[in-house]
Amino acid sequence: MALAIAITVVLSLSSCMAYAQSAGVPASTLALSTGFKFVEMSGEELFVNVCRGCHMSDGKGATGAGTYPSLAGNRNLEASGYPVHVVVNGQRGMPPFGAMMSDDQVAAVVNYLRTHFDNNYQDAVTAEDVKIVRR
């Protein structure tokens, strides 16, 4: 049974890597974080390795086994405190990532979301803003 599980995991990871490579993802973004904390530091790296699996590469979300909201042109991202709160604490089906990301990482990924995918919110979130949400 353990061997069957191990084989399934290896096949799943290799299919994910093949998909990422076929999607034109640079090799430098294919490294997966090990342990409980994410190692990626830029908003783009965090989106690619953490968020894209549910919100899709175009940020338009998906519906299927669950509903993953679109981040593209999303007015909920206008007030910077809202996406910070959601990333740190989670919401509905989205898990909380606050314990897995530093304040700088949360700020980076939120700023990336707020300036990509047809979003143009230029007031940048800072690590200090994230610290306030964590209290």
Side-chain angles (χ1 to χ4, degrees), residues 16-32 40 42 44-49 52 57 112:
C16 288
M17 296 300 278
Y19 168 76
Q21 289 171 341
S22 70
V25 176
S28 63
T29 61
L30 296 178
L32 300 174
E40 300 82 0
S42 78
E44 182 177 20
E45 290 172 325
L46 287 159
F47 177 81
V48 167
N49 290 337
R52 180 178 67 175
S57 59
Y112 180 79

Side-chain angles (χ1 to χ4, degrees), residues 9-109:
V9 168
V10 168
L11 291 175
S12 295
L13 286 175
S14 62
S15 68
C16 288
M17 296 300 278
Y19 168 76
Q21 289 171 341
S22 70
V25 176
S28 63
T29 61
L30 296 178
L32 300 174
S33 294
T34 58
F36 186 71
K37 300 276 187 181
F38 293 111
V39 296
E40 300 82 0
M41 291 307 294
S42 78
E44 182 177 20
E45 290 172 325
L46 287 159
F47 177 81
V48 167
N49 290 337
V50 180
C51 311
R52 180 178 67 175
C54 295
H55 295 284
M56 302 296 116
S57 59
D58 59 4
K60 292 185 178 176
T63 302
T67 300
Y68 307 96
S70 175
L71 301 171
N74 189 328
R75 301 277 309 196
N76 289 330
L77 300 176
E78 185 174 2
S80 61
Y82 176 77
V84 170
H85 173 79
V86 172
V87 171
V88 170
N89 300 305
Q91 182 172 308
R92 293 189 282 278
M94 183 173 150
F97 290 107
M100 295 175 246
M101 289 185 188
S102 70
D103 294 341
D104 288 325
Q105 287 171 308
V106 172
V109 75

Side-chain angles (χ1 to χ4, degrees), residues 114-133:
R114 295 182 74 234
T115 58
H116 289 78
F117 312 112
D118 295 325
N119 298 307
N120 193 27
Y121 307 117
Q122 297 298 315
D123 55 317
V125 171
T126 66
E128 285 300 315
D129 297 328
V130 178
K131 282 182 187 173
I132 291 168
V133 170

